[in-house]
């Protein structure tokens, strides 16, 4: 029997598991293949919905589901202590879990996502609000519903982050949200970036600047935070710059999963190195062709986004199936990325606008504008994710 282990059962892991279950259905039925997904919890979270959830444009029911309900029933699913990874031994193809159990695999897919480490910013935990978690988005939704005067500062601590377009689109959507409530004239919005751009894609950066400036949303580049003084409500950069706020919204530093960091198989940030085309594990002279890395867990230069995992999943699934069938067919990942840019909410003044910038390793996004159609398309896509994943369609 060939045993395929997938560590991480949110979007990346679930997509791979369900596609494999569909492609290897006869092998599963005969007992020649086993697919197992391991995760410490059963919550299937649609993280892309968080900005809209925060600004009351989608409900919590569109953000949280169960992994058991999303995963194909032919996939073995272990969660809780049985699914919480504590160690990986790549040389001996062995996984270790919180309950003391072990699992030996023939193929391994690392889909462990990222952890957040706001504690690495001195003083931040004393005044920490974020829309990068479901709980944080719900808390911010409540805070923003009564915020009517002052300065809102969005602090982007450092790259890489999930959805690199999020700081820009949240700034634009927040402007719309406050205008719809009739309080925008009393609120300043300031976006703090550690980079010298809003987005690495030139056309996104160009249009983003135009939109922010048209709406009076301020942005400051090359702002590397050194500390947050919650008692003074001020953010301080490493150059001594001070930015006052009444409400601080933070995109925290991202790190690879704790088990990856403690196993010593990742880079200094805990992300897992792999070949940029095959997604197979590569670290210096170490190479494990039976180990694939996908989604936010990778140390690739691609964006950390569900769309990237979607394209990567085809590569991982096709190559594992090809290896099991012995056909020798190989598929490569070309860096395909879609990063939804939502520029306007559905409000009293407008019907929402968005666009789907697309690029890969060689081709940048072309000039674009946001449209009403894409607003509805993206909303429909977000809402349909659990069904699409469950059917092995994404």
């Amino acid at each position: 029997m060939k045993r395929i282990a997938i560590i991480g059962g949110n979007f990346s892991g679930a997509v791979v598991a369900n596609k494999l279950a569909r492609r290897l259905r006869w092998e599963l039925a005969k007992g020649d293949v086993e697919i197992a997904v391991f995760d410490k919890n059963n919550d299937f979270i649609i993280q892309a919905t968080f900005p809209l959830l925060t600004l009351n444009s989608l409900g919590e029911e569109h953000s949280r589901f169960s992994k058991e309900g999303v995963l194909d029933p032919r996939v073995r699913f272990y969660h809780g202590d049985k699914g919480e990874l504590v160690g990986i031994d790549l040389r001996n193809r062995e996984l270790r879990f919180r309950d003391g159990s072990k699992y030996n695999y023939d193929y391994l897919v690392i889909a462990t996502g990222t952890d957040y480490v706001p504690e690495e910013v001195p003083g931040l935990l004393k005044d920490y609000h974020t829309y990068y978690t479901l709980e944080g988005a719900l808390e911010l939704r409540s805070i923003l519903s009564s915020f009517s005067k002052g300065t809102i500062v969005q602090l982007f601590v450092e790259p890489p982050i999930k959805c690199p377009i999020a700081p820009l689109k949240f700034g634009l959507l927040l402007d719309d949200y406050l205008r719809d409530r009739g309080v925008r004239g009393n609120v300043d919005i300031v976006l703090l970036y550690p980079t010298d751009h809003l987005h690495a894609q030139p056309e996104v950066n160009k249009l983003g600047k135009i939109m922010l400036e048209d709406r009076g949303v301020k942005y400051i580049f090359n702002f590397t935070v050194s500390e947050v003084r919650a008692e003074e409500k001020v953010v301080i950069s490493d150059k001594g710059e001070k930015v006052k706020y009444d409400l601080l919204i933070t995109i925290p530093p991202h790190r690879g999963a704790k088990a990856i960091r403690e196993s010593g198989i990742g880079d200094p940030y805990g992300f897992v190195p792999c070949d940029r085309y095959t997604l197979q594990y590569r670290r210096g002279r170490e190479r494990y062709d039976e180990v694939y890395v996908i989604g936010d867990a990778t140390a690739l230069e691609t964006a950390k986004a569900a769309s990237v995992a979607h394209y990567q999943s085809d590569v991982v699934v096709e190559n594992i199936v090809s290896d099991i069938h012995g056909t020798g067919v190989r598929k490569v990942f070309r860096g395909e990325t879609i990063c939804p840019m939502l520029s306007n909410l559905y409000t009293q003044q407008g019907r929402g606008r968005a666009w789907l910038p697309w690029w890969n390793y060689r081709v940048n996004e072309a000039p674009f504008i946001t449209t009403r159609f894409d607003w509805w398309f993206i909303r429909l896509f977000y809402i349909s994710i659990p069904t699409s994943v469950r059917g092995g369609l994404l």
Side-chain angles (χ1 to χ4, degrees), residues 152-170:
I152 298 176
V153 171
Q154 178 180 247
L155 172 63
F156 170 10
V157 176
E158 66 179 20
I161 59 171
K162 298 178 184 180
C163 190
I165 208 169
L168 167 60
K169 72 181 177 185
F170 189 81

Side-chain angles (χ1 to χ4, degrees), residues 8-29:
N10 216 63
F11 185 87
S12 299
V15 167
V16 169
N18 288 352
K19 285 182 176 179
L20 283 171
R22 188 176 63 182
R23 292 291 304 280
L24 298 171
R25 56 192 178 277
W26 299 116
E27 289 80 2
L28 287 166

Side-chain angles (χ1 to χ4, degrees), residues 30-42:
K30 291 185 292 183
D32 294 338
V33 169
E34 176 179 280
I35 303 170
V37 172
F38 300 89
D39 203 305
K40 64 182 178 182
N41 65 63
N42 189 32

Side-chain angles (χ1 to χ4, degrees), residues 70-371:
V70 170
L71 286 169
D72 188 294
R74 292 168 292 191
V75 173
R76 295 178 180 269
F77 177 47
Y78 301 89
H79 64 279
D81 288 346
K82 293 181 179 179
E84 183 175 353
L85 184 73
V86 296
I88 304 177
D89 183 347
L90 296 182
R91 181 171 297 177
N92 294 305
R93 300 188 180 188
E94 182 180 87
L95 306 176
R96 301 189 304 276
F97 299 94
R98 179 65 60 195
D99 69 342
S101 63
K102 298 178 181 179
Y103 188 91
N104 291 99
Y105 59 83
D106 294 285
Y107 300 95
L108 174 63
V109 180
I110 300 175
T112 45
T114 64
D115 289 342
Y116 303 132
V117 287
E119 65 274 11
E120 291 192 3
V121 180
L124 177 57
L125 287 180
K126 296 179 180 179
D127 201 358
Y128 179 54
H129 306 287
T130 186
Y131 55 87
Y132 263 64
T133 67
L134 179 58
E135 296 73 20
L138 292 171
E139 179 198 37
L140 264 177
R141 183 175 68 178
S142 177
I143 292 171
L144 287 169
S145 68
S146 59
F147 191 93
S148 58
K149 186 177 182 180
T151 300
I152 298 176
V153 171
Q154 178 180 247
L155 172 63
F156 170 10
V157 176
E158 66 179 20
I161 59 171
K162 298 178 184 180
C163 190
I165 208 169
L168 167 60
K169 72 181 177 185
F170 189 81
L172 294 170
L173 297 180
L174 178 60
D175 168 76
D176 246 19
Y177 171 82
L178 294 171
R179 289 182 190 278
D180 192 48
R181 288 187 51 229
V183 298
R184 179 66 175 93
N186 301 322
V187 179
D188 289 326
I189 303 173
V190 182
L191 312 180
L192 302 180
Y193 278 79
T195 58
D196 62 358
H197 53 264
L198 300 171
H199 195 276
Q201 278 294 303
E203 291 300 328
V204 175
N205 185 59
K206 178 181 176 181
L207 182 61
K209 284 183 177 181
I210 293 171
M211 288 183 165
L212 292 178
E213 290 166 7
D214 283 348
R215 302 188 193 188
V217 177
K218 302 172 186 175
Y219 55 88
I220 299 174
F221 289 152
N222 299 311
F223 189 99
T224 303
V225 61
S226 64
E227 66 173 312
V228 173
R229 294 181 185 171
E231 63 282 358
E232 301 175 31
K233 288 195 173 296
V234 64
V235 183
I236 303 175
S237 78
D238 60 352
K239 298 176 183 176
E241 303 164 277
K242 295 183 178 181
V243 178
K244 293 280 291 181
Y245 66 85
D246 294 287
L247 172 61
L248 180 64
I249 299 173
T250 302
I251 299 171
H254 290 35
R255 298 290 182 268
K258 181 180 178 183
I260 300 296
R261 301 197 303 270
E262 293 181 349
S263 294
I265 66 171
D267 68 9
Y269 287 91
F271 298 115
V272 186
C274 60
D275 185 278
R276 73 198 301 250
Y277 296 109
T278 70
L279 306 177
Q280 292 166 301
Y281 183 89
R282 301 287 187 266
R283 185 168 181 257
R285 294 184 178 180
E286 285 185 286
R287 53 183 297 153
Y288 293 93
D289 288 347
E290 74 279 6
V291 178
Y292 292 86
V293 194
I294 183 173
D296 298 344
T298 72
L300 294 175
E301 67 273 24
T302 53
K304 296 188 182 300
S307 68
V308 177
H310 157 69
Y311 287 110
Q312 291 173 338
S313 69
D314 285 338
V315 175
V316 172
V317 169
E318 193 67 37
N319 291 344
I320 290 177
V321 170
S322 173
D323 202 53
I324 289 174
H325 288 169
T327 62
V329 176
R330 309 304 293 175
K331 189 177 179 68
V332 298
F333 173 59
R334 295 180 174 84
E336 297 97 330
T337 304
I338 297 173
C339 213
M341 180 175 178
L342 288 73
S343 62
N344 300 78
L345 290 172
Y346 185 93
T347 66
Q348 300 175 79
Q349 290 80 31
R351 287 183 280 173
R353 297 183 71 90
W355 186 252
L356 291 169
W358 179 97
W359 65 93
N360 63 21
Y361 286 145
R362 295 187 178 184
V363 178
N364 285 335
E365 171 63 303
F368 66 93
I369 60 171
T370 56
T371 70

